[in-house]
């Protein structure tokens, strides 16, 4: 589905731009060059995360239960596989960030550069528990990796619960059992998504948990299943229900993040219905975004240490004109893409294995110990 790759590429570029416009001395120096654009990136660029959440839910439904029935035999193994795929590039990028932070700490403000990590902090990050345990983040955006893992595990649990609760002897033996379990799984996802939109997402103390974000993720899952409808009337009714749920949640309390997720879900629903997710021909710009989207996870992970390094280099130049800061921001974006391409090729695309995860985890721990002494 290359259209989703292109959407991820665009969203990731906006998120990187959001961080570029908020962190370090360069944004302040370059602000006079494009105040409206940089101001928008700084304030609203974070909303692009909602696009990733909706797409992640869409792809999770396609992978785990395309017809509403869990199609994997060993759910726990699948959860561990998901962990391995997520943390291999994540651990590599965190190691780079720990080393770069130690190198640039003398030249940048303490508010920008993460402090030297403790062993507990490193272990918590490696296990994706840093926010739940109250540790300071070692890099920007690492919260999303932990939330993505929680969301995947929650989605798999909800889809698999009907089969788990059914008696072993009834495993699809009774007439209509498959349909009953399918609708129950969809109802569970819908129920938790509604609870998230109406309740959990309005409680800021829950933003370290999957329940806070499952509204957007669940919208993506529901859109995938809605797209499987064979009758136009069924599809239209389901989309109307989805729109009603989204607008109802916004009527309770306006949240731009939920509005962004709802619009994203509806656009994907239309694109899926009209078979635009895999268009036969692409303009050149869309091809570039598609390629960027494929390595968007690596870009999301590695751009912060690049940001630190370039900010430190620009600071060392001393007093300079705003255009130097602007060029520095552009250089940061370009170098981040180059670093992401390396991370994508050498780590993210390699098969996940426990040996590789252990090696990368050990590399993070050793790096943290070295820079702390």
């Amino acid at each position: 589905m290359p259209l989703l790759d292109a959407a991820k590429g665009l969203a990731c570029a906006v998120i990187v731009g959001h961080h570029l416009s908020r962190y370090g001395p360069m944004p302040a120096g370059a602000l006079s060059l494009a105040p409206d654009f940089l101001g928008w990136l700084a304030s609203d660029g974070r909303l692009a995360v909602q696009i990733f959440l909706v797409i992640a839910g869409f792809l999770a439904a396609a992978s785990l239960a395309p017809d509403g029935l869990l199609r994997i035999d060993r759910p726990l193994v699948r959860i561990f596989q998901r962990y391995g795929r997520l943390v291999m590039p994540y651990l590599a990028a965190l190691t780079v960030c720990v080393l770069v932070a130690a190198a640039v700490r003398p030249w940048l403000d303490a508010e920008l550069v993460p402090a030297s990590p403790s062993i507990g902090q490193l272990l918590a990050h490696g296990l994706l528990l840093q926010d739940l345990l109250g540790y300071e983040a070692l890099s920007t955006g690492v919260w999303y990796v932990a939330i993505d893992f929680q969301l995947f595990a929650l989605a798999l649990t909800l889809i698999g619960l009907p089969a788990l609760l059914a008696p072993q002897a009834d495993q699809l033996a009774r007439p209509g059992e498959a349909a009953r379990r399918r609708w129950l799984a969809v109802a569970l996802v819908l129920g938790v998504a509604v609870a998230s939109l109406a309740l959990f997402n309005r409680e800021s103390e829950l933003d370290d948990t999957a329940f806070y974000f499952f509204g957007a993720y669940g919208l993506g899952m529901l859109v995938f299943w809605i797209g499987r409808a064979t009758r136009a009337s069924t599809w239209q009714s389901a989309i109307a229900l989805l729109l009603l749920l989204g607008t109802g949640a916004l009527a309770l309390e306006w949240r731009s993040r939920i509005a962004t997720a709802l619009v994203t879900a509806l656009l994907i629903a239309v694109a899926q219905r009209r078979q635009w997710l895999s268009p036969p021909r692409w303009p050149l710009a869309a091809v570039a975004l598609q390629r960027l989207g494929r390595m968007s996870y690596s870009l999301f992970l590695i751009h912060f240490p690049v940001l630190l390094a370039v900010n430190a280099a620009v600071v060392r130049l001393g007093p300079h004109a705003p255009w130097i800061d602007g060029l520095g921001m552009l250089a940061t974006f370009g170098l981040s893409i180059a670093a992401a391409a390396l991370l994508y090729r050498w780590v993210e695309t390699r098969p996940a294995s426990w040996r590789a995860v252990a090696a990368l985890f050990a590399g993070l721990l050793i790096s943290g110990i070295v820079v702390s002494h």
Side-chain angles (χ1 to χ4, degrees):
M1 291 177 276
L3 184 62
L4 295 186
D5 282 335
K8 287 164 60 180
L10 179 60
C12 191
V14 172
I15 292 169
V16 173
H18 172 65
H19 293 154
L20 281 174
S21 62
R22 285 178 59 88
Y23 298 118
M26 289 192 300
L31 184 62
S32 62
L33 301 177
D36 293 337
F37 179 63
L38 292 178
W40 173 80
L41 279 177
S43 61
D44 295 327
R46 59 187 173 81
L47 296 177
V49 171
Q50 302 301 316
I51 298 174
F52 275 99
L53 290 170
V54 174
I55 292 176
F58 184 92
L59 296 177
S63 172
L64 296 174
D67 59 354
L69 290 173
L70 189 64
R71 68 175 188 179
I72 58 178
D73 297 328
R74 297 181 295 172
L76 286 178
V77 172
R78 186 60 180 271
I79 289 176
F80 285 126
Q81 289 174 342
R82 180 65 176 176
Y83 170 81
R85 286 183 58 82
L86 281 174
V87 300
M88 281 181 56
Y90 165 82
L91 292 171
L94 277 184
T95 301
V96 173
C97 193
V98 166
L99 296 174
V100 170
V104 304
R105 199 167 284 121
W107 296 288
L108 295 177
D109 292 339
E111 293 183 359
L112 174 63
V113 185
S116 297
S118 65
I119 290 295
Q121 189 179 13
L122 294 167
L123 289 171
H125 275 76
L127 297 174
L128 303 180
L129 297 173
Q130 67 276 2
D131 294 318
L132 293 174
L133 297 179
Y135 284 104
E136 180 187 359
L138 293 176
S139 179
T140 187
V142 294
W143 65 269
Y144 180 86
V145 184
I147 291 299
D148 183 278
F149 181 65
Q150 291 184 38
L151 287 168
F152 183 85
L154 177 57
L156 193 153
T157 301
L158 293 174
I159 297 171
L161 200 56
L164 183 65
L165 297 177
Q168 190 68 26
D170 286 346
Q171 295 294 317
L172 305 182
R174 293 185 301 176
E177 177 67 13
R180 185 187 71 83
R181 281 167 46 181
R182 179 183 299 112
W183 283 108
L184 182 55
V186 173
L188 286 171
V189 170
L190 175 61
V192 177
V194 170
S196 176
L197 292 170
L199 299 173
F200 305 142
N201 189 258
R202 299 167 62 196
E203 303 293 335
S204 58
E205 62 268 20
L206 294 178
D207 65 359
D208 295 334
T209 71
F211 294 104
Y212 184 87
F213 297 94
F214 196 79
Y217 196 87
L219 286 176
M221 296 181 70
L222 294 168
V223 161
F224 178 83
W225 289 325
I226 289 171
R228 307 275 292 192
T230 55
R231 295 182 180 179
S233 59
T234 303
W235 183 86
Q236 292 168 359
S237 299
I239 291 298
L241 176 60
L242 206 67
L243 182 60
L244 181 63
L245 293 174
T247 53
L250 293 174
L252 285 174
E253 180 182 344
W254 173 262
R255 288 150 288 169
S256 54
R257 58 184 180 275
I258 298 302
T260 303
L262 179 61
V263 170
T264 300
L266 293 174
L267 289 175
I268 292 176
V270 172
Q272 182 187 27
R273 189 68 179 177
R274 294 183 177 273
Q275 299 183 347
W276 291 344
L277 297 181
S278 299
R281 286 176 293 188
W282 280 87
L284 186 60
V287 172
L289 284 176
Q290 180 189 352
R291 292 176 178 173
L292 186 63
R294 288 177 180 171
M295 61 179 187
S296 59
Y297 183 51
S298 290
L299 178 58
F300 183 77
L301 293 172
I302 201 65
H303 75 275
F304 187 65
V306 177
L307 182 154
L308 292 177
V310 177
N311 266 284
V314 171
V315 165
R316 295 202 66 186
L317 292 176
H320 50 262
W323 65 268
I324 296 291
D325 290 310
L327 287 178
M329 294 177 70
L330 291 176
T332 302
F333 190 81
L335 290 172
S336 296
I337 293 177
L342 294 175
L343 183 62
Y344 176 77
R345 179 178 178 182
W346 294 109
V347 182
E348 185 180 350
T349 57
R350 291 180 177 266
S353 69
W354 290 116
R355 178 178 297 181
V357 170
L360 290 166
F361 208 143
L364 174 63
L365 293 176
I366 293 170
S367 300
I369 293 171
V370 168
V371 302
S372 299
H373 292 84

